[in-house]
Amino acid sequence: MEVLTQHLDCLQVPTQLSLVKELMPLIASLPRASARTAALAQVWHGVVQADLATRRAVRSGDKAVPGAQLKNVLTEPFVMSIVSGTYTGTGTTALAISRNPTFKEELTAVLIQTLHQHPRALVPVPEHVPHSDQASQQSHDVAIISEGAAYSQCIAELTDWLGSAKIALQGTKACLGWDREAQGGSHACTAVVDLWLQLLQRTLHLSQKLPLGSAAPIAHQGSLSEGLEPALDIRSQVGTLVKSYRASLQELMTQLLVHWKVLSLALKPRALWVAAHHLDLSGRMDGLWSALLNALADLVSGNEAEVDARRAKASMSAAADGQLAAKSNNPFAVPGTDTAGTAPDQAAQAAAMDEGDIEAEGIESALVSLERVTALLTINAAQGISPGMKDIAAKIGDVLRPYSKGSRAGLDTRDRLQRVLKQTQPIATVDLRPLTTQEGPTQNGDTPSEPPVREDPTRLMLSPSWQVNEGYPMAAPASTVLQATKRATRYWPLYNQVQAAVTAAFESQAGASTAVPQDPLDDINSLPGIAEVMSLVTGLVAEPEAGSQEVTAPTDPVRVMVSHTLQPDSRSISFSIELLSRLTADTKGLVLRLSLGGPLIPSTKQPALYKIPVLPVGERVLLHLTCTIGACGPVSIQPFVALPVSMTGEDLSLRCTAYTVPSTALLAPPPLLPPPPHFFHQLASMPYGCHMCGVCTIPGWQGGLALLSNLERSPMARIMLRGLPAQGGFEAAYYGSYWDGSTAGLVVTGQLLPAGSSTPVAEVASNSGRLGDANGNTAISQGSIVCRLTLKSSSMDLLSSVDNAKGAWLSQITRGSMVEGFSCQSLPLAATLPHLHSAVAPLKAAYAVPKTTSLEESGISTDDAVTPSVFEDVLAQEWRRLQAVVV
């Protein structure tokens, strides 16, 4: 399968299209989900690349089509039936699909994610059309021609991607109707529809940025050279295509509102949010406005009608099956002992909790969307009110007024609805009747003022600062109570699996295109060394890796060294135990016993007991033990050496120190780093977490730099790092994964606090550029960085192991640069700073105190002036920025 999927681009057009049609049923028959997503990623990558090549060929006028088009694959009967959920085939393929019901999610999600991660989707749109005043004078200027050609080529490639994304959205829109009803006590996973909405938002944003018209700005500059004519033709074609694509995308959003009742309850909040932020609304009351306001009212009411109908249907079905539990009338009955109502439907309770979370999300989404729509109407009404805008304002009042009073909505919801009604009331009650000549002037001789009246605008315009590019359409349940539901347990595993498969497909294609010939000397250099050959011949293992630790005392007759090697692929750890005699004669009859600690499972069922017949002088014996790590947490091994000497009533065995492997050694960077918004959303949905507070062991802001440098060298990967100069602190986020597949997120927030209440933060920061003296009293004069760490994970075992020993875990992950608690009296102050990491180096310059040369120009008296620090400067800049913000 891997050979077939990785070389699709090497085939001719008919063969490629037919092979893709044959591969889809074969991929559906693969037993493992990872294998299916990997194969689908390769197939969709080849199809998308062929579709883009087809569009480029059509645009350039080539008659030969270089590959299979995306539309042809999506309209293939098998793919259409899978996406729509109506596949009714027979045979082995149907049996495999019945066993793997998530295949439709994988097929759709991989295609959408392939377009998400395509390099063209990440190219920014050029800000303006390149032109020059010298174009009319220097018609053969190579710079002008190349600049115009580059601009035309960029927007043409973006338009090709926009066309492919539009086809993918239209061909997979059936996913919006998946699993409307709650199955098994919870709504289905929404990861696929969230990806669909994200792609829709990205295409809408791109369609707004791409130019619609022709190259008029260049054409008016004078006679263009022949070199610019191809570029102008491309821009004209792009403008026509963008208009068509934008209309199709607007039609997709209109269908979301028209077919509102078909959407799943879990999808409705995000569908409404996307529609309210991206729809092109007109200035007259039409069907689109009616559908939008009806959807708003539906979510504000908490889907009351649909939820009541579902509950009534469930009760009728339970009554028909004889499973309707009666409520107990005994107020003194102990829960679980009364015969009435002893068998509650747990699935129904889980569904009720899930519906409550969806209802809260829907109300918030409806209020935000309503406030945006109201602002859109109010901004356009300031330029003149039309009869259509008055009807819209009146309709908003009619639809929402019942929910702004009474108990049908919460107090906060009613308050926000009343504020919206106050904004639309003047528009809805304005008098638009024209002034007649019979009315004449008023008693004061003034002509009565009229509200500005205009025709209904075809599109309500919004300020550019209100434009929304991306955001929100990602909503895995964040509540701990809902982490066991299907909607939560399926969300992030599916999303991460699809993202990893698509990334691997892009990397494999990029690696194949940039492959270099193999050096013949590589085979020679890969030959085993002398140590490896001796190990194979004698059966003895080579010397263990560096970092061995002695677990015996210097005066013991036998030296015992322990080291370990991790095998993440097999989730195992190999311990190497080395014994070396310190005596002047051979030692006979030694017995080594190993005691295991932590979640270790030995590879053999026999006890870890080794008999060493002879330990020669000056030679060593190597022993190995491989164990599987069964759960998260630190692991340890403690050797006991029984000496060949017996004395009555006395144990002469050597009790060695325990060799411990910390839990942080089992951490590793994730295979794929999510963007910061996705990371924080995933962090919020992780069910288990703990908080730790501590202080850096190095005084001043240099302690924060040392802490961040050590975190950068930890097994966790950085997601975000930025300084907060106004607070003398920073905030950072790190992401890691454990061997069992669980993930962990760490958020660190630090702030520089003075050691004494009379020392201001600015003075603390200005004095913290030097390390302390030999007496270690600088922590009091410089202050310290106080940090708060939030660790969250999807594994309860991981958080339990950390929570049981927070101080030890904190010391391990920070390499001793931070200790738990706030006591500054007994801090083990470091003598030297660790090597500054390159990612942290820019923060050092931000914390430096600038020298102010002229204070008189700022109006500050030099007699009373105090040298301002960087924190005061930043605060002043922030104050000026806030004053300039228009509310």
Side-chain angles (χ1 to χ4, degrees), residues 863-884:
D863 297 335
D864 301 331
V866 179
T867 303
S869 66
V870 64
F871 311 113
E872 296 172 349
D873 293 344
V874 173
L875 288 174
Q877 294 175 5
E878 184 67 13
W879 176 252
R880 298 190 197 98
R881 188 188 68 82
L882 291 176
Q883 283 184 324

Side-chain angles (χ1 to χ4, degrees), residues 575-593:
F575 293 99
S576 300
I577 301 94
E578 173 192 333
L579 287 85
L580 177 65
S581 176
R582 289 194 176 106
L583 301 177
T584 58
D586 295 346
T587 306
K588 299 180 180 181
L590 288 179
V591 177
L592 176 66
R593 180 170 59 88

Side-chain angles (χ1 to χ4, degrees), residues 811-854:
S811 177
Q812 294 162 6
I813 198 69
T814 63
R815 299 188 179 185
S817 58
M818 180 180 173
V819 293
E820 188 180 11
F822 295 102
S823 176
C824 300
Q825 301 300 327
S826 59
L827 284 181
L829 296 179
T832 58
L833 285 171
H835 181 66
L836 196 65
H837 195 272
S838 59
V840 186
L843 294 181
K844 184 177 181 180
Y847 291 144
V849 180
K851 296 182 179 180
T852 304
T853 56
S854 177

Side-chain angles (χ1 to χ4, degrees), residues 492-807:
W492 291 112
L494 175 62
Y495 175 81
N496 294 330
Q497 186 180 51
V498 169
Q499 191 179 23
V502 173
T503 302
F506 276 103
E507 290 178 353
S508 64
Q509 295 296 332
S513 60
T514 59
V516 295
Q518 184 178 5
D519 191 351
L521 295 179
D522 291 344
D523 296 333
I524 300 178
N525 295 331
S526 62
L527 294 176
I530 297 179
E532 297 178 59
V533 173
M534 294 300 296
S535 175
L536 295 174
V537 173
T538 61
L540 299 177
V541 181
E543 183 166 339
E545 62 180 9
S548 299
Q549 176 183 341
E550 183 177 357
V551 294
T552 53
T555 58
D556 289 338
V558 178
R559 188 188 71 172
V560 180
M561 304 286 292
V562 182
S563 63
H564 73 278
T565 304
L566 299 174
Q567 289 95 23
D569 296 336
S570 59
R571 295 179 58 185
S572 61
I573 181 172
S574 296
F575 293 99
S576 300
I577 301 94
E578 173 192 333
L579 287 85
L580 177 65
S581 176
R582 289 194 176 106
L583 301 177
T584 58
D586 295 346
T587 306
K588 299 180 180 181
L590 288 179
V591 177
L592 176 66
R593 180 170 59 88
L594 301 177
S595 176
L596 304 179
L600 289 178
I601 304 174
S603 57
T604 60
K605 296 182 179 180
Q606 299 178 355
L609 191 67
Y610 303 91
K611 295 181 179 180
I612 305 173
V614 179
L615 181 59
V617 178
E619 295 188 11
R620 61 183 180 176
V621 173
L622 289 178
L623 302 173
H624 299 275
L625 177 65
T626 301
C627 301
T628 302
I629 300 178
C632 298
V635 297
S636 63
I637 182 172
Q638 186 174 12
F640 294 86
V641 182
L643 300 177
V645 180
S646 60
M647 295 183 64
T648 304
E650 188 173 353
D651 185 13
L652 295 181
S653 63
L654 297 180
R655 185 184 180 92
C656 304
T657 306
Y659 179 84
T660 303
V661 179
S663 60
T664 54
L666 308 180
L667 270 172
L672 194 64
L673 288 180
H678 294 185
F679 165 77
F680 284 104
H681 189 87
Q682 185 174 359
L683 187 75
S685 63
M686 290 181 181
Y688 309 104
C690 65
H691 302 280
M692 293 168 281
C693 296
V695 60
C696 293
T697 56
I698 297 179
W701 50 262
Q702 293 196 10
L705 299 181
L707 171 64
L708 292 174
S709 297
N710 290 332
L711 287 175
E712 290 291 332
R713 298 184 180 97
S714 69
M716 305 184 76
R718 170 172 39 88
I719 297 294
M720 180 201 69
L721 173 61
R722 63 179 180 181
L724 304 174
Q727 301 176 6
F730 55 86
E731 58 181 355
Y734 298 89
Y735 187 60
S737 61
Y738 269 77
W739 289 5
D740 60 353
S742 60
T743 56
L746 179 66
V747 178
V748 185
T749 304
Q751 184 175 359
L752 180 64
L753 294 182
S757 58
S758 60
T759 306
V761 175
E763 183 178 346
V764 170
S766 61
N767 294 331
S768 62
R770 304 177 301 274
L771 284 176
D773 54 14
N775 298 327
N777 298 323
T778 53
I780 300 178
S781 59
Q782 296 183 15
S784 300
I785 292 285
V786 177
C787 298
R788 174 185 173 89
L789 286 78
T790 300
L791 177 67
K792 300 197 71 176
S793 175
S794 58
S795 171
M796 184 175 62
D797 294 337
L798 168 61
L799 263 297
S800 298
S801 64
V802 174
D803 198 37
N804 294 333
K806 289 183 179 179

